Amino acid sequence: MKVLLVNGSPHEKGATFTALEEVARTLNENDIDTDIMWLGNEPIASCIGCNACLKTGKCFRKDIVNHFLEKASDYDGFVFGSAVHFAASSGALSSFMDRVFYGRGALFALKPAAAVVSCRRGGASAAFDEINKYFTISQMPIISSQYWNQIHGNNAEEAKQDLEGMQTMRTLGKNMAYILKCLKAGEESGIKRPELEPKQK
């Protein structure tokens, strides 16, 4: 089983990465393979709702969104992380997720997901709530922890000093590993996932 963790912070190895790395390490300790993908710090265009991707399976913009979509089917779960910008996720992650999730419910349905946010001080719960909405509209089980999945610090070193935040990340990793194993055990025992009905609009 594999989980893909997406770092939506403009800083490759900052506080958000520190949180995601702790989740990944805990998943690895529980026999779940992981990869961390950094979105980079170049602009990511927003979705324009042209529907071209629904016909071709790819966005007409040749960027990291298509790179992610090419890999997504290989993963059993996802964690999306962001630094908090004005009580919201980064603009890059927001644009990325708008395009990734547009019309792709079947790709993500019933795959566990989690949001992780890092902030210096405030706005974490609002950004956390924002990211989770992508999961609930895509039928993805949301993995929780002992507290909202947030970590505090202005950089990686400060984030490591947030002992409660780091523990929250470890608990998240353990919970995700447990749910993934439960889903696999269910399938192996003959429990079928529900069939997706055509959407009514």
Side-chain angles (χ1 to χ4, degrees):
M1 290 175 286
K2 295 169 62 178
V3 171
L4 181 58
L5 301 94
V6 176
N7 180 4
S9 169
H11 303 289
E12 184 177 10
K13 302 286 187 178
T16 303
F17 172 80
T18 300
L20 292 173
E21 187 178 44
E22 191 75 353
V23 177
R25 186 182 63 78
T26 306
L27 285 165
N28 296 157
E29 289 175 353
N30 286 272
D31 303 316
I32 306 294
D33 293 329
T34 58
D35 291 307
I36 298 178
M37 174 190 285
W38 180 47
L39 297 186
N41 49 28
E42 296 297 321
I44 298 176
S46 61
C47 180
I48 62 172
C50 67
N51 292 334
C53 65
L54 302 183
K55 300 170 186 174
T56 65
K58 293 183 177 181
C59 181
F60 75 94
R61 302 185 194 275
K62 296 176 174 60
D63 62 7
I64 198 165
V65 170
N66 285 334
H67 177 62
F68 173 89
L69 291 172
E70 288 169 3
K71 301 172 61 168
S73 60
D74 296 333
Y75 291 88
D76 305 290
F78 300 91
V79 181
F80 293 87
S82 179
V84 174
H85 295 174
F86 293 95
S89 62
S90 69
L93 184 71
S94 181
S95 293
F96 175 83
M97 294 185 77
D98 280 355
R99 288 168 56 203
V100 159
F101 281 87
Y102 185 79
R104 292 189 181 83
L107 178 61
F108 296 104
L110 302 176
K111 289 188 175 184
V116 164
V117 294
S118 69
C119 67
R120 184 189 67 81
R121 192 166 182 86
S125 61
F128 178 65
D129 181 57
E130 176 193 356
I131 298 171
N132 280 322
K133 287 185 170 67
Y134 291 93
F135 311 146
T136 58
I137 204 170
S138 302
Q139 302 182 61
M140 302 175 81
I142 294 177
I143 307 301
S144 59
S145 186
Q146 65 194 48
Y147 197 78
W148 297 312
N149 305 334
Q150 62 190 46
I151 197 164
H152 291 264
N154 208 37
N155 52 50
E157 290 308 311
E158 289 183 4
K160 289 175 183 176
Q161 295 175 48
D162 179 5
L163 300 184
E164 183 179 4
M166 293 292 279
Q167 186 180 60
T168 298
M169 298 307 139
R170 291 192 296 276
T171 302
L172 171 61
K174 292 173 186 175
N175 290 349
M176 177 165 270
Y178 173 76
I179 295 299
L180 285 168
K181 290 175 182 179
C182 285
L183 288 169
K184 183 178 180 182
E187 288 181 358
E188 289 174 348
S189 67
I191 299 174
K192 294 182 180 179
R193 297 193 179 196
E195 293 183 12
L196 302 178
E197 295 184 17
K199 279 196 172 182
Q200 297 292 327
K201 298 242 180 175

